Amino acid sequence: MAVEIEKVEIGGQEISLETGRLAKQADGSVLMRCGDTVVLCTAVGAREPRPGGDFFPLTVDVEERMYAAGKIPGGFIKRESRPSERATLTARMTDRPIRPLWPKGFRNEVQVVSTVISTDQINAFDILSINGASAALMLSGLPFDGPIGAVRIGMIDEDFIINPTIQEIEESSLDLVVAGSKDAISMVEAGANEVDEDALLEALQIAHEEIVNICAAQEALASRAGKPKWDVAAAEVDEDLVGKVEKAVGAGLEDATQEQGKLERRDKLV
């Protein structure tokens, strides 16, 4: 497999997507780089569905190790155990935007793993992980209806910063992670210090403009190095059962979803 590289500039920083060098046995793999922060993202899927499975077994894992920063764990125990809080949150942010983008009834096991190879302690690895997961799936041939892209927006002295550094995040009054497709935003994770609504809406718009560029870079890479899409048969749907469920609870759920208050929605669903 030839090495293919695609580069995209996001917020004045160059992000590169490279495939064909590492993890060649995975269905899809991509090496994401921003500065000296490098994340290897891989995607592997089972050719046959899990017997008796009644859900989509998608697993997203983020492997964060101290060797990425050139460190060795101190103390008596030198081994690293459970994932850090940051790695767990990154796995969740990676999972959310990609989980809905699969064929209805798809039951094949899929594993997406992001491994932090190195970190310069300037550029955060979480945004690279989300984008890399999508890029790996685009390359894999799995029936993933992507791509999706993700960016972080910060704000210092009323100025928006796209993909701020770790140091800038500490000074920022806004920490907004946005993920979505070329057409719409699908996930927002935010923390802020009294940022008004107009500023937040502007930040979302800026984020989506950059997401479009990231998605275009993934599509360009997939067009050169992507594998043929799997031929997945449409899932069989019991229309009679669907009709019974809709008749029993459909009207109540529709009414509850129109309720703005959280407690009021809960009361209507009880």
Side-chain angles (χ1 to χ4, degrees):
M1 179 188 295
V3 176
E4 294 284 351
I5 300 176
E6 185 69 28
K7 297 181 180 180
V8 58
E9 186 173 306
I10 303 297
Q13 292 180 306
E14 183 179 86
I15 296 177
S16 71
L17 300 79
E18 177 184 327
T19 188
R21 188 182 302 276
L22 298 178
K24 297 180 183 180
Q25 290 183 317
D27 289 317
S29 68
V30 62
L31 206 59
M32 302 291 298
R33 177 187 291 273
C34 181
D36 285 328
T37 296
V38 181
V39 181
L40 173 65
C41 302
T42 59
V44 178
R47 284 287 178 175
E48 299 294 334
R50 179 184 294 178
D54 58 357
F55 66 98
F56 175 35
L58 170 65
T59 301
V60 177
D61 185 26
V62 174
E63 295 289 338
E64 181 189 21
R65 293 290 180 264
M66 293 188 71
Y67 67 72
K71 297 180 180 180
I72 298 174
F76 179 74
I77 298 176
K78 295 295 188 290
R79 293 177 181 269
E80 297 179 71
S81 54
R82 63 185 181 88
S84 68
E85 180 180 307
R86 191 59 174 168
T88 301
L89 292 174
T90 301
R92 291 176 180 174
M93 288 194 295
T94 305
D95 181 288
R96 283 185 218 146
I98 67 176
R99 184 171 288 274
L101 302 179
W102 298 83
K104 187 175 182 180
F106 187 67
R107 298 289 183 265
N108 300 40
E109 187 172 2
V110 176
Q111 294 184 351
V112 177
V113 180
S114 296
T115 304
V116 183
I117 302 297
S118 71
T119 174
D120 56 12
Q121 302 187 61
I122 297 174
N123 299 290
F125 67 82
D126 51 1
I127 297 300
L128 293 179
S129 172
I130 302 172
N131 290 314
S134 173
L137 290 168
M138 289 293 292
L139 293 167
S140 68
L142 288 159
F144 171 64
D145 189 20
I148 60 99
V151 296
R152 170 178 274 110
I153 303 294
M155 186 170 68
I156 300 177
D157 297 331
E158 307 298 325
D159 294 325
F160 291 111
I161 303 173
I162 302 170
N163 283 353
T165 64
I166 295 173
Q167 290 75 20
E168 288 173 332
I169 293 171
E170 294 176 354
E171 302 172 13
S172 175
S173 58
L174 174 67
D175 184 4
L176 176 69
V177 177
V178 185
S181 66
K182 294 185 297 183
D183 302 317
I185 292 171
S186 58
M187 184 204 74
V188 175
E189 180 87 12
N193 182 16
E194 298 183 2
V195 174
D196 62 63
E197 184 175 335
D198 290 338
L200 188 59
L201 290 174
E202 184 180 354
L204 290 172
Q205 182 178 357
I206 293 171
H208 191 254
E209 291 172 356
E210 299 294 348
I211 285 171
V212 172
N213 296 330
I214 296 170
C215 290
Q218 293 181 39
E219 289 176 331
L221 184 64
S223 67
R224 300 197 308 270
K227 297 177 181 177
K229 287 289 185 182
W230 293 9
D231 185 15
V232 179
E236 295 183 4
V237 179
D238 189 339
E239 298 294 347
D240 183 53
L241 178 60
V242 171
K244 290 179 181 178
V245 173
E246 288 182 347
K247 183 178 179 180
V249 299
L253 286 173
E254 180 67 24
D255 185 37
T257 56
Q258 302 304 314
E259 188 65 58
Q260 293 187 357
K262 180 179 179 180
L263 297 179
E264 290 77 8
R265 283 199 304 272
R266 182 200 64 183
D267 293 339
K268 289 189 175 182
L269 291 172
V270 173

